[in-house]
Amino acid sequence: MSLFKERLLNQLDKIDMSQKELAEKTDITPATISRYTTGNRNPSAENARRIASVLGVSVDWLIGVSDSQNFNSSQLSKKEKADIAKDLDEIKRQLLDSDELMFDGMPMDEESITKILSALEVGMEMVRKKNKEKYTPKKYKR
């Protein structure tokens, strides 16, 4: 069983929420939620954020990157989030300026670029959080 599927099902059970209620609260179709709970599909970064928010857990914990459910565990500061946003804006500008950019044999459109940027954002946040955990002295950790 995938860690995401296991944690999703356990958290739904823990807070006594149905898949249908989760679908309504996250604006994700019930069929998609069902695919997540059967392990047939993994969520996009945006859907993982929506689900984690409704379930009251961190995205990192839900997708299996962290063992801490807390939002405060290695949270990024506003400056760190702004730095990531600035980097992503620059990457987006470069991608949009490129006329010959292809993905899977097809020219890249703005929707594809947005999906790539969303995945990059999650990756950049994960790396910063892991580095923060790794390099913060114990006496400064919460």
Side-chain angles (χ1 to χ4, degrees):
M1 179 183 311
S2 80
L3 202 49
F4 173 79
K5 171 187 166 184
E6 180 181 322
R7 288 180 173 181
L8 173 61
L9 289 171
N10 287 340
Q11 193 65 16
L12 283 171
D13 188 47
K14 182 178 177 180
I15 64 173
D16 196 28
M17 182 182 289
S18 71
Q19 292 180 31
K20 183 179 178 182
E21 288 174 299
L22 179 64
E24 290 169 0
K25 291 181 179 189
T26 57
D27 201 29
I28 299 171
T29 66
T32 299
I33 296 292
S34 176
R35 287 184 193 103
Y36 297 158
T37 60
T38 59
N40 292 332
R41 186 172 175 185
N42 286 318
S44 66
E46 179 59 30
N47 283 355
R49 270 182 243 182
R50 289 179 188 174
I51 292 169
S53 177
V54 168
L55 296 180
V57 297
S58 71
V59 177
D60 287 352
W61 176 80
L62 187 61
I63 64 175
V65 173
S66 170
D67 288 331
S68 174
Q69 289 183 341
N70 299 332
F71 287 104
N72 294 332
S73 177
S74 297
Q75 285 293 342
L76 297 178
S77 68
K78 288 182 181 181
K79 183 189 180 320
E80 289 169 319
K81 290 179 182 179
D83 288 345
I84 290 172
K86 182 179 173 187
D87 291 343
L88 289 171
D89 285 343
E90 177 60 22
I91 292 168
K92 182 176 183 177
R93 186 192 60 73
Q94 290 174 1
L95 290 174
L96 289 172
D97 288 347
S98 177
D99 294 334
E100 300 174 13
L101 192 60
M102 304 281 276
F103 180 74
D104 200 26
M106 301 292 291
M108 289 281 283
D109 59 1
E110 192 158 350
E111 180 182 354
S112 298
I113 291 171
T114 301
K115 289 178 182 177
I116 288 172
L117 291 172
S118 180
L120 274 172
E121 180 179 14
V122 170
M124 291 168 82
E125 288 177 359
M126 286 176 11
V127 167
R128 286 201 184 218
K129 287 177 184 178
K130 282 293 182 187
N131 285 342
K132 203 173 189 179
E133 286 176 13
K134 186 176 181 179
Y135 297 111
T136 301
K138 287 183 182 178
K139 67 180 182 179
Y140 295 115
K141 291 183 181 178
R142 294 180 189 182

